[in-house]
């Protein structure tokens, strides 16, 4: 078995975070005008200004948590035992 730095739970958390980031960016997109000249007030909707950025920031925070979280199934080496 290969020795990975991350455990299975870390990869799952990071995958969920990437999905949240993609959902946030998709929610922020759109709102353009039909003819390219006129103004479309849909760019100022709560979804694009509040909800989507919050979801995106939560996704980025979850990536950090997924990276920093110590895997439960990670074996402790002799050097780590001596430090404790």
């Amino acid at each position: 078995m290969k020795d990975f730095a991350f455990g299975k739970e870390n990869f799952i958390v990071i995958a969920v975070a990437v999905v949240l980031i993609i959902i946030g960016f998709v929610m922020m997109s759109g709102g353009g005008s039909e003819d390219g000249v006129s103004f479309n007030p849909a760019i100022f909707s709560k979804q694009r200004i509040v909800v989507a950025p919050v979801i995106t920031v939560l996704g980025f925070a979850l990536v950090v948590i997924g990276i920093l979280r110590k895997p439960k199934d990670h074996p402790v080496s002799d050097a780590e035992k001596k430090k404790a």
Side-chain angles (χ1 to χ4, degrees):
M1 185 170 172
K2 295 182 180 181
D3 187 28
F4 290 113
F6 297 133
K8 183 179 178 181
E9 293 174 2
N10 296 79
F11 286 116
I12 292 171
V13 170
I14 292 171
V16 169
V18 168
V19 169
L20 278 177
I21 293 168
I22 291 171
I23 289 171
F25 276 109
V26 168
M27 289 174 66
M28 278 190 267
S29 67
S33 62
E34 305 237 347
D35 59 0
V37 178
S38 62
F39 176 73
N40 186 357
I43 63 171
F44 297 115
S45 68
K46 282 190 178 187
Q47 173 184 329
R48 289 191 175 96
I49 292 185
V50 177
V51 178
V54 168
I55 289 174
T56 306
V57 169
L58 287 175
F60 282 118
L62 204 57
V63 167
V64 171
I65 291 170
I67 291 172
L68 295 179
R69 183 178 177 157
K70 184 178 266 188
K72 292 180 181 178
D73 57 347
H74 187 74
V76 179
S77 67
D78 291 333
E80 291 176 355
K81 287 180 184 177
K82 291 178 183 178
K83 288 181 183 178

